[in-house]
Amino acid sequence: MNNKTNSWKSILIKTALVSFLIIGGLSIYSNYYDGSNGESHMTIEEIELGAPTKYLELVGDYNKSFWGTEYKIKGKIINKAMFATFKDVVIEVNFLSKTGTTIKSKNYTLYEIYNPNSETDFTLNVDNFKNVKTINCNIVAALPNN
């Protein structure tokens, strides 16, 4: 009988220990994921707004003017974000020599609203510089539209 009592005590202690670990683990998990641990959790929109160049894409083409004094850039800004709306997209235009060396870089701001999952056309006329063979463009910044 003493052996059976020890066996039941051992089982009860092990069960209590396992129960304690499970309840404690669930409590920690619950506190971590419900925000009560003091950490803030970002929404998808906040994440998107924090990385505009990840969600905004520029596609387009350009032509040199008849006299060669400027370039006309025509394209689209594509907002691939699901929730974030951006505004005032900054485009960096790089003016390159025939060897691919950057002669000059200049930023231009497009003062428009860019809604989620949308495409917005733009036209931009920029001055040309001496010894420029080609140009390229990319988005370097945008503001959240709050």
Side-chain angles (χ1 to χ4, degrees):
M1 184 132 177
N2 195 13
N3 215 6
K4 275 189 171 181
T5 305
N6 285 340
S7 177
W8 277 105
K9 283 182 182 178
S10 176
I11 290 173
L12 285 173
I13 290 172
K14 288 177 183 176
T15 303
L17 183 60
V18 168
S19 297
F20 176 75
L21 290 173
I22 290 172
I23 292 170
L26 288 174
S27 175
I28 291 169
Y29 176 85
S30 174
N31 285 341
Y32 181 77
Y33 286 100
D34 72 2
S36 62
N37 63 348
E39 293 182 23
S40 63
H41 298 280
M42 296 176 71
T43 65
I44 294 172
E45 182 180 21
E46 290 169 333
I47 292 167
E48 291 172 345
L49 288 172
T53 57
K54 181 177 177 183
Y55 296 98
L56 294 172
E57 180 182 346
L58 183 151
V59 294
D61 202 5
Y62 65 90
N63 293 309
K64 194 183 280 191
S65 69
F66 178 76
W67 299 109
T69 58
E70 65 179 17
Y71 285 96
K72 184 175 199 167
I73 304 167
K74 293 179 100 172
K76 293 180 185 197
I77 303 293
I78 302 167
N79 183 353
K80 298 180 288 183
M82 294 183 342
F83 301 103
T85 301
F86 299 100
K87 67 178 183 176
D88 303 345
V89 168
V90 179
I91 296 175
E92 178 184 63
V93 179
N94 297 298
F95 300 86
L96 307 171
S97 71
K98 67 181 177 183
T99 62
T101 301
T102 301
I103 294 171
K104 183 164 182 80
S105 292
K106 194 165 179 186
N107 290 347
Y108 300 88
T109 303
L110 302 175
Y111 295 100
E112 296 289 337
I113 304 292
Y114 303 92
N115 292 313
N117 298 307
S118 69
E119 296 182 3
T120 305
D121 293 329
F122 75 91
T123 301
L124 184 62
N125 293 317
V126 299
D127 290 333
N128 193 4
F129 298 95
K130 187 177 179 182
N131 297 319
V132 172
K133 177 70 175 169
T134 187
I135 64 172
N136 67 32
C137 306
N138 55 53
I139 296 172
V140 294
L143 296 174
N145 187 38
N146 298 5

